Amino acid sequence: MNTGRISSAVVSGAGRLAIAGMALLCGIVAAFTLNLPALSGRVVDQANIIAADTRNALTGKLAELEAKSGIQLVVATVGSLEGQEIEPYANQLFRSWKLGEKSKNNGVLLLVAPNQRKVRIEVGYGLEGTLTDALSKVIITNAITPRFKAGDFGGGIVRGVDDIITVLTTDASEWQQRPALRLDRQPTFDPANFLLLLPLIMFILLIFSSPSLRKFLRAHAAAGSYSSGGWSSSGGSWSSGSSSSSDSGGGFSGGGGDSGGGGASGSW
């Protein structure tokens, strides 16, 4: 029996569970405070770093991807993460926008925060086996951040989108031949993630056992902060209906998909 692989699998599972738990906790807290941008199209450039022609070209690629495969890939840039780490922010934004089909959870979010020099690929549950954490990291490291370092935000985003689409739509034997996308070794996992589980669980239990927090939640629910469809923020919007291929007139929306924290982050 290969105890090394078992140990790595345990650590990997523990790390993912810890991340998912932290994302859930941060999502609950952030739901009251974050001013999330609205899902106005397939490219939401709040930070204004993508040229108009590049934005139009990206929109066409993303629309074609969804039309052919049903996969909903959205690019977003934000001016601020509002004091959050990019992982919980991206997960909250993904969940608010409900990217991907509800039955397949086949959404992907490419989020860029230029002022914090952070980037993340957030992957829906249904695509985690294809666009893995390791591959997401390879795309960020090889395709995106080198161009960001050179000040070419549009070029980095386009290359990142192209590589994400390649992984999602091309047979593995084909894209593995490309050095920029080939994963030659599995990333190492930090055993410290396992130690996050116990205090995280205790912290969550402590919060939800607090009468003051329950009172706070009820007050916000009464004020309309929580709707029958899910958390809503003052700046964000989403629809739980089927996804639309139209980006004009407010017709574009998420399809009800979800993410549990799969993907990868990077900085430059």
Side-chain angles (χ1 to χ4, degrees):
M1 181 180 297
N2 193 326
T3 57
R5 289 185 179 180
I6 294 176
S7 176
S8 295
V10 170
V11 172
S12 173
R16 290 294 297 278
L17 182 59
I19 292 173
M22 291 177 68
L24 174 62
L25 177 61
C26 291
I28 293 171
V29 176
F32 296 113
T33 59
L34 290 182
N35 185 26
L36 300 174
L39 180 58
S40 56
R42 301 179 193 276
V43 180
V44 180
D45 186 22
Q46 185 192 67
N48 196 29
I49 59 172
I50 307 175
D53 56 344
T54 301
R55 184 167 59 250
N56 292 334
L58 283 169
T59 298
K61 287 183 182 181
L62 303 180
E64 182 181 9
L65 172 67
E66 185 173 0
K68 290 183 176 180
S69 67
I71 296 172
Q72 193 172 56
L73 170 57
V74 170
V75 173
T77 74
V78 292
S80 172
L81 295 173
E82 301 189 32
Q84 299 288 315
E85 294 296 328
I86 195 168
E87 291 83 7
Y89 187 99
N91 186 258
Q92 176 69 7
L93 188 60
F94 189 112
R95 287 168 173 256
S96 294
W97 286 355
K98 292 193 171 288
L99 302 182
E101 298 169 284
K102 185 175 183 179
S103 60
K104 297 181 179 179
N105 291 309
N106 54 350
V108 180
L109 172 64
L110 173 57
L111 175 66
V112 181
N115 292 328
Q116 288 74 42
R117 305 176 71 88
K118 299 286 185 180
V119 58
R120 178 163 179 82
I121 299 174
E122 184 79 11
V123 182
Y125 282 117
L127 296 177
E128 288 184 355
T130 303
L131 185 59
T132 63
D133 296 2
L135 282 171
S136 298
K137 188 66 174 180
V138 168
I139 292 172
I140 289 173
T141 302
N142 291 349
I144 299 177
T145 55
R147 289 164 178 80
F148 283 4
K149 289 177 181 178
D152 184 10
F153 289 107
I157 291 171
V158 169
R159 265 300 303 274
V161 165
D162 287 346
D163 284 358
I164 291 172
I165 292 175
T166 296
V167 170
L168 293 175
T169 61
T170 308
D171 184 83
S173 62
E174 296 182 30
W175 61 253
Q176 284 177 349
Q177 297 176 16
R178 295 175 53 181
L181 274 175
R182 189 172 61 242
L183 181 62
D184 295 319
R185 63 183 180 85
Q186 294 292 329
T188 57
F189 294 95
D190 185 0
N193 286 333
F194 185 78
L195 300 178
L196 292 174
L197 287 174
L198 184 58
L200 177 64
I201 293 172
M202 293 177 63
F203 186 49
I204 292 175
L205 291 175
L206 178 62
I207 286 181
F208 280 97
S209 65
S210 169
S212 59
L213 179 62
R214 290 199 299 270
K215 182 178 179 182
F216 178 75
L217 291 173
R218 286 196 298 269
H220 277 74
S225 294
Y226 187 83
S227 67
S228 59
W231 292 111
S232 63
S233 67
S234 57
S237 66
W238 53 265
S239 168
S240 58
S242 58
S243 57
S244 167
S245 59
S246 172
D247 282 9
S248 61
F252 181 75
S253 66
D258 200 0
S259 169
S265 306
S267 59
W268 68 95

